[in-house]
Amino acid sequence: MTLTSLPLDILILILQNLSVGELAALSSTCQVLKVLVYEYGWSEYLRANPRPSYSLARARSCWSSRFSAQYDALTDAAWMRSDFIARPLSRPWAGKLQPILTINSSRLIVAAGNTIFSYKFSGSWKEKLSPSVLSQGSYSLSPAVSRHRDVTAITAVEDGGLDRTFYAGFQDGSIERITLIEDSADGRSAFSLKRHLVQAADGRDDLVESLSAIHDTSLSLTASGRATLSRLTSIPSVTSRIELNTRSWTAYLCGNASGPYAAFGTSSTTPLAVHSIREDQLCPQPTAILHTKSSLHQLPSSAVYGICQAPPASPWGSSPQMIISGWFDGKVRCYDLRCSSRGGPSSPVMTLSDPWSYESIYSISSGGGFSSCIAAGFARHSVVSFWDVRSPKAGWSVHAPGNDPSPVYSIILESSRLFGVTQSRPFVYDFGPEVSLSTYPSLPSARGVDGLKLMKGYSGPGFYVTTYLHNTCNDE
C-alpha cells in the first residue's frame, strides 16, 4: 500500500503533524501529494501553529499559505539564533517623555507628551519581501505644551474594521475618543484627528494610568486606584466603578475567559489582584490575590507595573487564565488562576529574571518566535530581556537602538517584531526575513543621508546594540 492510496481524511490527519520541512519534502515526491500539501497541508500547519501579529495581518491576507508558513519558519529560526535587525523609528525627541504604544492591524500609534505619531503598515503584497512600516507623521493634541494635556494611556478600540479609533487618557484625568482621518492629497500620506470628550477632568489631577479595551468594553485605571468599566457606544456608559485606594499602575482586561476578569497592578502589600466581572459589574473584592509567596503574613510592600497574557504556545496552554506580570524587583512572574484559591494568595508557577539587572520592569508583552516568548522592558539603560518559556533558563537581553539611559516604557511583541519606546524615540527589533532599508522609515542623519545600516547588533552611527545571555529561571 502506498501513501497516496490512503483515504483523504487519513492523509489530512497525517499532514497536521508535519513540520514545514517535512511538508516541503512531501510536496516534492509526486504531483498528488503536492496538490494535497498545497490545498490542506500549509493551511493546517498555520492553524495548528498560530503566530499572532498585527503588523503582518494585511500582508498575510494576500500571502499564500505556503509562504506564510515559510516566513514563520524563518522567523522562528532567527529567534533561536537571537538574530534580528534593530532600527529606531524616529530621530530623538526634544526633552524626556513618558510615551506609550498601541497597535491594530493597520498602524502603530505612539503617544509622546501631547503628540500622536502614526506608523502605517502598508504591507508587502509581494512574497519574499518583508512588510513595510511607513511614517504618517505627527499631530499635536494641544497648541501649547502643557503637562496636564500629556497623553498617559492609549488603547485601540474596535470600529468595524476601519482601524482608526483610539481612546486616550490624559494627565488631568480626562479621556477622549480619537478618530484618525487619513488624507492622501498630493500623493502624500498624512492624517488629522477627530476628537470627542468621553470623560471630563474632575479637578483632582488624577491621571489615567491605564486603558484597555476588548470588543465593546473598556477598562480605565487612574493613579489613585479608581477603576472604571464602560460600554463602548457612541455615548460610552459607565457600568461599574470601584476604588482600589492605593497607588495604581496598570490594568489588564480579560474578556475571553469563561469568567471575565480584570487584573490590577498597584503599589501595596497585595500588588497584583484579580477582580471578577459579573453582568458588567466589577466585583469590589478581589477573587484572587497573586503574590511572590503562598502566605500573606508579613509581606513587604511591592509594585507591579506591567501585566499581559501568556504566550499562545506556552507549556500551560493558551488559557486566558494565565497572567504574566512585571514587578518592581525586576522579576517576571507567571500565574495560573486555575491554581489559585478563591480570594486567597497564589504563588507564581514560574519566575524569570535577568541576574545582571537590578532594575524594575516597566513593560511586558508576550508572543515572539514559536509564540512562546516573553519580553520585558526595564527601568534603566533601555534594556529589553527575552525568555522562551519552553526553555526559560536561556534568556537574553539587548539594549534598544540609541542606548538611551531611559526606561523602556512600552513594548508590543509580535511573531517577528518587537515595537518599543524609550523617553527619546520608538524602535523596532525585526526577526523576519528579507528586511531592507526601505522596510522602515528613512531617518536622515546630520549630513542629510540615511546612514542607518541593517545589521545584527548594529543600527547606525552611534547606535550600538549589545546582547548577552543569562540564566534566568528560578523558583521562589
Side-chain angles (χ1 to χ4, degrees):
M1 177 181 293
T2 63
L3 185 63
T4 54
S5 64
L6 293 173
L8 179 61
D9 54 345
I10 300 298
L11 288 174
I12 293 175
L13 289 175
I14 294 174
L15 295 180
Q16 291 177 354
N17 299 308
L18 299 183
S19 66
V20 170
E22 291 168 337
L23 287 170
L26 187 63
S27 66
S28 301
T29 56
C30 69
Q31 187 63 28
V32 173
L33 290 178
K34 179 179 180 179
V35 171
L36 189 66
V37 169
Y38 275 65
E39 187 170 352
Y40 297 103
W42 297 121
S43 58
E44 284 297 316
Y45 173 85
L46 294 174
R47 184 191 60 80
N49 299 274
R51 300 289 187 269
S53 179
Y54 282 108
S55 67
L56 299 180
R58 298 180 67 194
R60 283 188 183 276
S61 65
C62 298
W63 287 350
S64 65
S65 297
R66 176 180 178 275
F67 180 74
S68 291
Q70 179 187 20
Y71 183 95
D72 290 343
L74 293 173
T75 298
D76 292 344
W79 273 97
M80 291 289 290
R81 302 189 305 269
S82 302
D83 187 3
F84 62 94
I85 298 302
R87 180 83 167 178
L89 294 178
S90 76
R91 306 305 297 182
W93 302 311
K96 298 179 180 179
L97 305 176
Q98 294 188 27
I100 192 76
L101 303 176
T102 190
I103 197 171
N104 58 32
S105 297
S106 296
R107 58 182 50 84
L108 172 75
I109 293 293
V110 183
N114 61 3
T115 304
I116 299 292
F117 300 84
S118 175
Y119 294 89
K120 187 175 182 179
F121 307 135
S122 67
S124 173
W125 317 132
K126 297 181 180 179
E127 297 181 353
K128 298 184 180 180
L129 291 178
S130 181
S132 58
V133 177
L134 305 176
S135 174
Q136 284 189 282
S138 62
Y139 189 96
S140 178
L141 295 176
S142 62
V145 177
S146 171
R147 180 180 65 86
H148 293 278
R149 294 305 296 162
D150 281 356
V151 179
T152 54
I154 192 167
T155 187
V157 299
E158 293 188 4
D159 57 2
L162 297 177
D163 292 340
R164 299 186 305 168
T165 307
F166 310 87
Y167 270 38
F170 293 84
Q171 182 88 18
D172 62 5
S174 62
I175 297 176
E176 291 186 7
R177 183 188 189 96
I178 297 177
T179 303
L180 187 146
I181 309 298
E182 292 189 282
D183 181 9
S184 300
D186 301 325
R188 295 180 294 106
S189 179
F191 71 96
S192 59
L193 300 179
K194 180 180 179 182
R195 303 163 62 184
H196 174 75
L197 184 63
V198 172
Q199 173 182 299
D202 58 8
R204 298 192 305 165
D205 203 22
D206 189 16
L207 67 89
V208 181
E209 279 284 5
S210 178
L211 279 172
S212 54
I214 295 180
H215 306 306
D216 63 341
T217 302
S218 71
L219 176 66
S220 66
L221 179 67
T222 67
S224 68
R226 173 178 290 185
T228 303
L229 197 69
S230 304
R231 283 292 183 187
L232 294 174
T233 59
S234 56
I235 304 178
S237 57
V238 174
T239 63
S240 178
R241 179 173 286 154
I242 62 174
E243 297 287 348
L244 303 179
N245 297 317
T246 187
R247 181 64 171 95
S248 301
W249 300 102
T250 187
Y252 171 70
L253 177 63
C254 179
N256 56 350
S258 56
Y261 64 85
F264 300 103
T266 65
S267 293
S268 66
T269 55
T270 56
L272 182 54
V274 176
H275 293 247
S276 294
I277 300 174
R278 299 180 185 140
E279 298 180 351
D280 293 335
Q281 298 291 307
L282 277 167
C283 293
Q285 299 301 318
T287 51
I289 298 173
L290 311 179
H291 215 288
T292 60
K293 301 179 181 179
S294 58
S295 173
L296 286 179
H297 298 297
Q298 297 180 342
L299 287 175
S301 179
S302 188
V304 170
Y305 299 132
I307 307 173
C308 72
Q309 64 184 3
S314 66
W316 315 289
S318 58
S319 171
Q321 300 295 331
M322 292 297 307
I323 291 180
I324 312 298
S325 55
W327 288 64
F328 170 79
D329 61 4
K331 294 184 178 181
V332 174
R333 293 181 172 91
C334 310
Y335 296 89
D336 191 340
L337 297 181
R338 297 166 294 188
C339 300
S340 64
S341 58
R342 183 174 181 82
S346 178
S347 56
V349 296
M350 180 182 289
T351 302
L352 306 167
S353 65
D354 178 353
W356 301 104
S357 175
Y358 301 97
E359 307 299 336
S360 301
I361 293 175
Y362 274 21
S363 53
I364 197 161
S365 188
S366 67
F370 301 94
S371 288
S372 61
C373 295
I374 294 173
F378 282 80
R380 291 181 65 190
H381 308 305
S382 61
V383 170
V384 179
S385 289
F386 296 93
W387 297 268
D388 188 328
V389 294
R390 302 169 308 163
S391 181
K393 291 187 177 181
W396 56 281
S397 296
V398 58
H399 293 279
N403 289 344
D404 298 318
S406 159
V408 178
Y409 285 108
S410 182
I411 56 175
I412 297 172
L413 182 59
E414 301 189 319
S415 62
S416 63
R417 290 165 168 161
L418 177 131
F419 295 104
V421 65
T422 67
Q423 66 186 16
S424 301
R425 75 199 91 195
F427 63 90
V428 62
Y429 302 146
D430 196 326
F431 294 79
E434 301 298 332
V435 179
S436 68
L437 285 171
S438 62
T439 304
Y440 294 103
S442 175
L443 303 179
S445 67
R447 296 181 179 179
V449 296
D450 186 357
L452 301 180
K453 299 179 181 179
L454 295 174
M455 297 173 61
K456 178 184 177 181
Y458 179 77
S459 61
F463 294 162
Y464 291 95
V465 181
T466 57
T467 61
Y468 50 94
L469 302 178
H470 46 71
N471 190 324
T472 58
C473 182
N474 60 79
D475 298 318
E476 295 178 295

